[in-house]
């Protein structure tokens, strides 16, 4: 039996998570750098990331607001973070 190797995930701990300012200080990113990358995401992914990270809403609340299932909201968040990581790597901003 073979298993696909999982990609390394960017983990954001929302209960004890760092602010954009703390990430900027730790990794040398600016809030403008991060916002510019978020703005490049597809609308559905950007919306979920903004609602989750900036508005601090639960995935249940996000699903209700965006009229989608919780699993869809989770998937959009996952793909949004994957796309952010790719864009950061392309720009030499990886951590």
């Amino acid at each position: 039996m073979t298993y696909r190797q999982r990609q390394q995930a960017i983990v954001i701990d929302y209960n004890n998570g760092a602010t954009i300012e703390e990430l900027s200080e730790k990794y040398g990113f600016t809030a403008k750098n991060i916002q510019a990358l978020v703005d490049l995401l597809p609308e559905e992914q950007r919306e979920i990331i903004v609602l989750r990270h900036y508005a601090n809403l639960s995935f249940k609340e996000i699903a209700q607001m965006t009229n989608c299932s919780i699993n869809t909201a989770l998937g959009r968040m996952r793909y949004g973070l994957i796309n952010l990581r790719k864009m950061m790597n392309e720009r030499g901003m990886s951590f």
Side-chain angles (χ1 to χ4, degrees):
M1 191 181 280
T2 60
Y3 296 96
R4 284 190 241 173
Q5 187 176 10
R6 292 182 137 197
Q7 285 186 338
Q8 181 181 355
I10 295 175
V11 178
I12 299 174
D13 181 358
Y14 291 101
N15 296 324
N16 196 11
T19 65
I20 294 296
E21 291 76 20
E22 291 168 337
L23 288 174
S24 298
E25 185 176 313
K26 184 174 181 178
Y27 297 107
F29 308 149
T30 66
K32 285 185 180 182
N33 294 136
I34 295 171
Q35 185 60 50
L37 293 177
V38 170
D39 288 342
L40 295 173
L41 290 172
E43 175 64 31
E44 291 176 335
Q45 294 171 12
R46 180 175 57 241
E47 180 180 38
I48 301 298
I49 287 176
V50 168
L51 291 172
R52 179 68 178 136
H53 187 68
Y54 295 104
N56 202 26
L57 297 177
S58 70
F59 282 105
K60 181 178 180 179
E61 293 168 320
I62 293 169
Q64 290 170 346
M65 288 182 70
T66 59
N67 199 29
C68 68
S69 71
I70 292 175
N71 286 335
T72 299
L74 288 165
R76 290 175 183 171
M77 179 70 157
R78 177 179 180 269
Y79 286 115
L81 293 175
I82 288 169
N83 286 333
L84 280 174
R85 182 174 56 242
K86 285 179 187 176
M87 288 187 285
M88 291 173 72
N89 287 332
E90 289 169 0
R91 291 162 176 77
M93 296 172 60
S94 61
F95 42 122

